[in-house]
Amino acid sequence: MATRKQSELYSGKAKTVYITDDPTQLILYFRDDTSAFDGKKIERFSRKGEINNKFNAFIMEKLAAAGIPTHFERLLSEQESLVKRLEMFPIECVVRNIATGSLCRRLGVQDGLDLDPPVFEFFLKDDARHDPMINEYHIRTFGWANPKQVEQMKEYTFRINDILKVLFLEAGLLLVDYKLEFGDVQGQVLLGDEFTPDGCRLWDVKTREKLDKDRFRHGLGGVTEAYEEVARRLGMPL
Ligand code: C5P
């Protein structure tokens, strides 16, 4: 029986999450609008929801095939996907292979510097406090996740780096950095949320042209076109 959408659970920057008639499943609706700078900049891009929904499905399936447990179940429609319902940790896991963005602002390091080994950072999901950086002691003391779950999140985040760096490089793209979110279901840590160009940075390997959400953040234009270009290079069906 097809899972039916019921009430809205949560509406984020670019997705709305719906409860379904199955308590173990949720529906993600990828909207066309996008926001940056804590919601100060909002714009709508035709076809972006559909591209991100399909992009996320493609990446989640690649990760699952490589042994990473994820919440993704299947595509339901152009802009909707069915996922397992998780108890999300209020934490963002970021890995950086090249310095840019907030790392450069915080530490004054040169934009574009190769990071070897890659840098791992935790942030607290708290828009009102602009997602402050936290460490494992904060996570443990405030009970946001237990030490075993923290280890699991780090392990998966680095394994995902190994898998996706290669996948993108073969498509002529540098995986500069990305943000992941995890959740728990029945004592298991699973990758949740999404993996799309909204939550990672991808640069053309030769020109270092930005092909991700930075085009929107910095008003560079061609946002949808850049996402489509990444999808095309990955050989994704759109
Ligand atoms: O802004 P910053 O340089 O810390 O971002 C690092 C990576 O995490 C980027 O790929 C960015 O798109 C992603 N990110 C995100 N959601 C946030 C913060 C960062 O997807 N709230």
Side-chain angles (χ1 to χ4, degrees):
M1 196 191 72
T3 308
R4 274 195 307 254
K5 207 153 80 180
Q6 294 193 334
S7 57
E8 185 179 312
L9 177 68
Y10 169 80
S11 192
K13 293 186 179 85
K15 291 193 299 299
T16 305
V17 182
Y18 292 92
I19 289 168
T20 69
D21 45 12
D22 181 336
T24 69
Q25 294 182 321
L26 296 173
I27 290 174
L28 303 184
Y29 176 76
F30 288 78
R31 304 194 313 271
D32 282 340
D33 52 304
T34 195
S35 81
F37 310 118
D38 297 318
K40 286 190 206 74
K41 181 170 174 160
I42 300 174
E43 212 172 308
R44 197 177 169 280
F45 297 97
S46 153
R47 295 216 336 117
K48 176 172 169 283
E50 181 189 335
I51 297 165
N52 273 6
N53 185 37
K54 293 178 180 172
F55 196 103
N56 178 62
F58 181 85
I59 298 290
M60 289 281 173
E61 279 169 358
K62 289 274 181 214
L63 293 176
I68 305 288
T70 87
H71 70 157
F72 182 79
E73 296 266 331
R74 62 188 160 89
L75 282 171
L76 288 181
S77 69
E78 299 288 90
Q79 286 179 251
E80 291 169 318
S81 283
L82 187 68
V83 299
K84 290 190 186 71
R85 185 170 187 163
L86 311 181
E87 196 68 50
M88 296 301 290
F89 305 115
I91 294 167
E92 299 182 338
C93 299
V94 170
V95 161
R96 301 173 186 275
N97 295 308
I98 298 176
T100 194
S102 77
L103 182 80
C104 296
R105 287 199 296 279
R106 270 182 281 121
L107 305 181
V109 293
Q110 192 196 327
D111 199 295
L113 189 73
D114 281 333
L115 302 172
D116 185 16
V119 169
F120 184 102
E121 296 171 337
F122 284 117
F123 296 91
L124 179 67
K125 272 183 74 70
D126 186 338
D127 279 345
R129 290 181 175 78
H130 314 293
D131 297 339
M133 186 190 252
I134 53 172
N135 65 33
E136 292 180 35
Y137 289 88
H138 299 110
I139 296 174
R140 189 171 189 164
T141 300
F142 299 115
W144 293 320
N146 69 39
K148 207 173 135 216
Q149 292 165 331
V150 168
E151 281 314 308
Q152 195 79 83
M153 283 190 266
K154 285 197 296 188
E155 189 202 316
Y156 287 150
T157 302
F158 278 117
R159 268 171 60 191
I160 290 168
N161 199 32
D162 293 337
I163 300 161
L164 295 186
K165 258 193 323 191
V166 174
L167 183 84
F168 286 117
L169 198 57
E170 283 171 356
L173 297 161
L174 294 170
L175 178 59
V176 173
D177 56 28
Y178 56 92
K179 182 265 302 178
L180 302 175
E181 295 179 29
F182 294 87
D184 173 284
V185 65
Q186 295 173 332
Q188 297 275 79
V189 173
L190 267 65
L191 176 65
D193 193 47
E194 67 176 71
F195 194 104
T196 68
D198 274 359
C200 69
R201 290 191 174 97
L202 297 164
W203 293 353
D204 178 86
V205 72
K206 287 209 193 81
T207 64
R208 296 211 157 196
E209 187 189 9
K210 298 179 199 303
L211 296 166
D212 54 65
K213 192 174 168 184
D214 271 352
R215 300 204 69 82
F216 169 65
R217 293 189 187 100
H218 303 314
L220 301 174
V223 178
T224 313
E225 291 78 2
Y227 288 26
E228 277 172 334
E229 168 70 11
V230 172
R232 191 189 59 73
R233 289 198 201 180
L234 287 171
M236 260 179 57
L238 266 187

